[in-house]
Amino acid sequence: MATNPQTTPQGDAYVFPSHRITRKMRDESRTPVVLVACGSFSPVTYLHLRMFEMARDYIKQQSQFEVVGGYLSPVNDEYKKPGLLSAAHRVNMCTLATELTSNWLMVDPWEGLQAKYQPTAVVLDHFDKQVNEVLGGIELTNGDHKRVRVMLLAGSDLINTMSEPGVWSPSDLDRILGRYGTFIIERAGSDVDQAMEALTPWRDNIYLVRQTIQNDVSSTKVRLFLKRGMSVRYLIPNPVVDYIEENGLYLDDGPNASASGPTYFTTSSTVEPSSIPNLSQAHQMAS
């Protein structure tokens, strides 16, 4: 039976997670920003989480923005990338990572719940609608509401693909870089300056965040370690390691990498981190 785009595979209604959005700004003269990272997160690593912290530090010290929220948006199963587990597993791992190791990051399962792959521009449109139209933006002390700027957070490998002719449609580039803008985290070996030359029309909306401590941990390397039976502790959050081990993930490219998945963990304004099923329960739910 086809899954309703606005429900989980178990039939639970989709609810946009907003339990950690800052409702009131510290400095109302600034522009409120929600950071959105789109990706496979197969599995989520400490570098994925560090990207948000690095961007928030940059924003605090070198911009007129103020971060009011941060989201991971795991890509749809139809992306068909090698090593891509089901969206349910990836959403669960991201939920464990954010709810148990962060006090401000959230996971939105919407992208993974859709019937087909959603372009990045469409995903950002979704966040813009949810944050500004459904939630009404940020309330100011005088009772007015201020529109939140949704911005993409990504590694420098993304900006390199954006600079390559034919990879991204011009209309999507204009929506992502023109309407929303992006914070790009520098990654070792990426020639960002050359890529920026090809993206001159949107230069003012692209913010480059330099890594002061280099970190090249990747999901690809983590998957390779796991297939070789090697430890990945301290490369990815411990709750994610436990989840992977209890569910037997990434041991091969067999059934665990299929589109079928376990029960989704969900978070909402009424859900506390302690209410996320523990890992023995998660194993029962997935089996």
Side-chain angles (χ1 to χ4, degrees), residues 73-107:
S73 181
V75 73
N76 190 276
D77 289 336
E78 293 302 311
Y79 187 54
K80 300 295 186 182
K81 182 178 181 180
L84 189 69
L85 285 187
S86 69
H89 275 311
R90 291 181 287 111
V91 166
N92 287 350
M93 288 187 285
C94 288
T95 300
L96 287 168
T98 55
E99 294 294 321
L100 300 183
T101 72
S102 172
N103 61 6
W104 68 284
L105 297 178
M106 293 165 282
V107 180

